[in-house]
């Protein structure tokens, strides 16, 4: 198995971030602190609905609140639950998988475009006989890029259709 470089993972993370920015994803987190008594009855003690950036910076606040409830209810099983979601869609989990697929597809398109650009730039600089129109590897890569771009468009259409169906269900 080939050794992976950390630069590849960093670039992949950047591609994902770029795709999320293009799709205007709003990362939020819902935090619920609950306890159970001896009879398996659940009671929500406290809940937060925060942007994910705030949650990442202020985790100590949630831990502090949880510790306070643990001290207040020593025999109750106090637990903290987190749920990540996109603010535009709410906590409906039906769109999360489609959104992840769309973000992944957009990141793959960005990755393939970058590889094609690197390949062309390298061959222009180091290969005197490089011809873009006759290079079979480049033609295959561009065909693959075209198929990935069509997959992104299809995923976007599926997302729009699902959002439309969900809005009609709410009415």
């Amino acid at each position: 198995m080939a050794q992976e470089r950390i630069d590849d993972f960093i670039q992949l993370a950047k591609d994902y971030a770029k795709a999320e920015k293009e799709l205007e994803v709003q990362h939020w987190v819902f935090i619920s602190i609950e306890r159970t008594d001896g009879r398996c009855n659940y009671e929500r003690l406290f809940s937060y609905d925060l942007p994910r950036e705030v949650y990442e910076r202020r985790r100590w606040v949630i831990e502090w609140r949880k510790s306070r409830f643990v001290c207040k209810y020593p025999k109750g099983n106090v637990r903290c639950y987190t749920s990540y979601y996109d603010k535009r869609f709410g906590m409906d989990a039906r769109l999360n998988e489609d959104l992840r697929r769309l973000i992944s597809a957009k990141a793959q398109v960005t990755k393939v475009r970058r590889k094609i650009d690197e390949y062309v730039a390298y061959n222009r600089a180091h290969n005197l006989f490089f011809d873009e129109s006759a290079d079979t590897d480049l033609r295959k890569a561009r065909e693959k890029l075209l198929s990935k771009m069509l997959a992104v468009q299809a995923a976007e259409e599926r997302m729009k259709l699902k959002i439309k169906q969900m809005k009609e269900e709410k009415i």
Side-chain angles (χ1 to χ4, degrees):
M1 186 168 150
Q3 179 69 29
E4 301 272 342
R5 294 181 327 172
I6 191 70
D7 298 339
D8 295 336
F9 291 115
I10 291 171
Q11 191 61 47
L12 183 64
K14 287 180 182 178
D15 293 343
Y16 273 92
K18 180 182 174 190
E20 287 178 351
K21 187 175 182 181
E22 287 175 2
L23 293 171
E24 299 173 357
V25 174
Q26 300 173 7
H27 294 287
W28 281 66
V29 61
F30 180 77
I31 302 146
S32 174
I33 301 173
E34 299 177 359
R35 79 176 181 109
T36 57
D37 58 5
R39 294 180 227 112
C40 293
N41 295 328
Y42 289 94
E43 176 186 1
R44 179 175 289 161
L45 303 172
F46 204 81
S47 63
Y48 294 97
D49 195 18
L50 302 169
R52 192 178 298 180
E53 296 85 30
V54 174
Y55 171 67
E56 297 292 330
R57 283 185 272 131
R58 305 281 191 252
R59 282 190 181 185
W60 64 270
V61 174
I62 288 94
E63 290 298 321
W64 173 81
R65 178 82 62 176
K66 180 183 170 191
S67 300
R68 183 171 163 246
F69 286 123
V70 167
C71 292
K72 189 173 181 180
Y73 304 104
K75 291 187 178 182
N77 188 7
V78 178
R79 294 188 182 231
C80 186
Y81 299 99
T82 57
S83 175
Y84 296 93
Y85 67 98
D86 184 2
K87 184 74 168 181
R88 294 175 303 161
F89 306 133
M91 287 196 228
D92 195 345
R94 292 180 288 180
L95 291 174
N96 288 343
E97 187 61 33
D98 289 332
L99 183 62
R100 275 192 227 112
R101 285 183 186 158
L102 180 59
I103 289 170
S104 177
K106 281 182 145 302
Q108 287 177 8
V109 166
T110 304
K111 182 179 178 181
V112 170
R113 277 187 182 149
R114 189 178 55 256
K115 292 289 185 183
I116 288 173
D117 292 342
E118 288 174 4
Y119 179 79
V120 169
Y122 178 82
N123 280 311
R124 282 184 183 161
H126 295 94
N127 188 352
L128 288 172
F129 303 106
F130 178 67
D131 184 19
E132 285 186 48
S133 59
D135 192 357
T136 57
D137 292 335
L138 185 60
R139 190 172 344 111
K140 287 179 185 177
R142 287 190 172 148
E143 289 172 3
K144 193 175 192 179
L145 174 64
L146 184 62
S147 68
K148 287 185 182 288
M149 290 171 66
L150 291 174
V152 166
Q153 289 176 350
E156 286 176 345
E157 292 300 318
R158 277 194 309 270
M159 282 288 291
K160 288 177 185 175
L161 183 64
K162 266 195 169 178
I163 291 170
K164 184 178 177 183
Q165 288 174 350
M166 288 176 59
K167 286 182 180 177
E168 289 174 359
E169 287 177 8
K170 288 183 180 179
I171 295 177

